[in-house]
């Protein structure tokens, strides 16, 4: 994860320059246009849209840098916020493929651990759900995310309608280097590392089961004592 954070920082540095150059170019174009045209209504709309795109791109860079920030210490955090961090990075890709996301939070429990690593677990589960849906090609791809408290634990469930996992490999998908994808598409470490993070770094459990339409992954985590002072937790 540290190597990924360093790579994202390097990419962000390279992106900043062309984004700044585009901002200057837009400002210059507006200046030249206003010098020769009285009616700038159409330009104003295009100018605002272009700057909104640039601002979103710049914000996305910050999102990625914060997401992969190395060396974050365990801390109490809200589960809904961590899930939202992951969803923010993949929702555009899901929308591009017409995959609907339903995010339901019956509670907003507080857990203790490395928030960035947990968000990467959720991102990995969402990415796997997307891949399963694209492989099966249902009429309408759907991912359901649910957050709740159950029996003194925080529970995050990620379910899809991608057809499920073949029963003969269901008990092997958390094994290191086991992948159902081609060698160019996966390393087989995603689910293995996700289980390590949930189990060893957070004292929880990550399980999977097939349902009628697809697979359902469930992360169950012990609640943080900070639940008692919920308002103080970011």
């Amino acid at each position: 994860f540290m190597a990924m954070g360093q790579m994202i920082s390097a990419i962000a540095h390279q992106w900043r320059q062309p984004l700044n150059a585009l901002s200057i170019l837009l400002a210059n174009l507006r200046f030249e246009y206003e010098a020769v045209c009285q009616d700038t209504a159409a330009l104003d709309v295009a100018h605002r849209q272009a700057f909104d795109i640039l601002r979103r791109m710049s914000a996305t860079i910050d999102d990625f840098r914060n997401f992969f920030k190395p060396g974050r210490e365990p801390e109490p955090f809200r589960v809904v916020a961590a899930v939202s961090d992951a969803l923010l990075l993949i929702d555009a890709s899901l929308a591009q493929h017409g995959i609907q996301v339903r995010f339901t939070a019956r509670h907003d429990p507080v857990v203790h651990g490395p928030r960035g690593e947990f968000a990467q677990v959720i991102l990995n589960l969402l990415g796997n759900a997307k891949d399963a849906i694209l492989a099966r090609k249902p009429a309408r791809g759907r991912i359901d995310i649910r957050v709740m408290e159950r029996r003194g634990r925080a529970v995050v469930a990620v379910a899809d309608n991608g057809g499920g996992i073949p029963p003969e490999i269901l008990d092997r998908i958390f094994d290191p280097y086991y992948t159902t994808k081609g060698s160019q598409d996966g390393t087989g470490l995603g689910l293995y590392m996700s289980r390590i993070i949930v189990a060893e770094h957070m004292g929880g459990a990550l399980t999977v089961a097939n349902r009628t339409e697809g697979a359902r992954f469930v992360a169950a985590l012990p609640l943080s004592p900070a639940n008692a002072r919920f308002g103080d937790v970011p």
Side-chain angles (χ1 to χ4, degrees), residues 104-107 109 146-150 153-157 216:
T104 306
R106 293 178 58 187
H107 311 96
R146 297 186 66 194
V147 175
M148 67 199 88
E149 283 185 31
R150 181 181 294 168
R153 292 166 79 82
V155 177
V156 183
R216 181 174 185 257

Side-chain angles (χ1 to χ4, degrees), residues 175-186:
D175 292 350
Y177 302 110
Y178 186 82
T179 178
T180 58
K181 304 173 185 177
S183 59
Q184 294 182 344
D185 298 318

Side-chain angles (χ1 to χ4, degrees), residues 35-99:
V36 296
C37 295
Q38 297 296 321
D39 185 6
T40 63
L43 173 69
D44 291 339
V45 173
H47 192 260
R48 282 196 301 271
Q49 290 175 338
F51 266 100
D52 283 343
I53 292 170
L54 289 174
R55 276 193 294 268
R56 282 199 296 271
M57 290 178 70
S58 183
T60 299
I61 291 173
D62 293 331
D63 291 335
F64 271 95
R65 293 180 71 177
N66 292 333
F67 189 82
F68 290 105
K69 188 179 296 181
R72 294 192 64 175
E73 293 296 322
E75 61 184 347
F77 65 88
R78 300 181 191 228
V79 171
V80 169
V83 173
S84 298
D85 288 345
L87 195 54
L88 180 68
L89 298 183
I90 198 173
D91 60 354
S93 176
L94 297 175
Q96 178 185 358
H97 293 288
I99 299 174

Side-chain angles (χ1 to χ4, degrees), residues 125-169:
L125 298 182
L126 293 173
N128 286 346
K130 182 191 81 169
D131 292 343
I133 290 169
L134 295 181
R136 186 191 183 200
K137 295 182 174 61
R140 291 186 179 179
R142 188 181 69 254
I143 299 174
D144 292 305
I145 309 169
R146 297 186 66 194
V147 175
M148 67 199 88
E149 283 185 31
R150 181 181 294 168
R151 297 177 183 175
R153 292 166 79 82
V155 177
V156 183
V158 178
D160 62 67
N161 63 341
I165 300 166
E168 63 271 17
I169 68 169

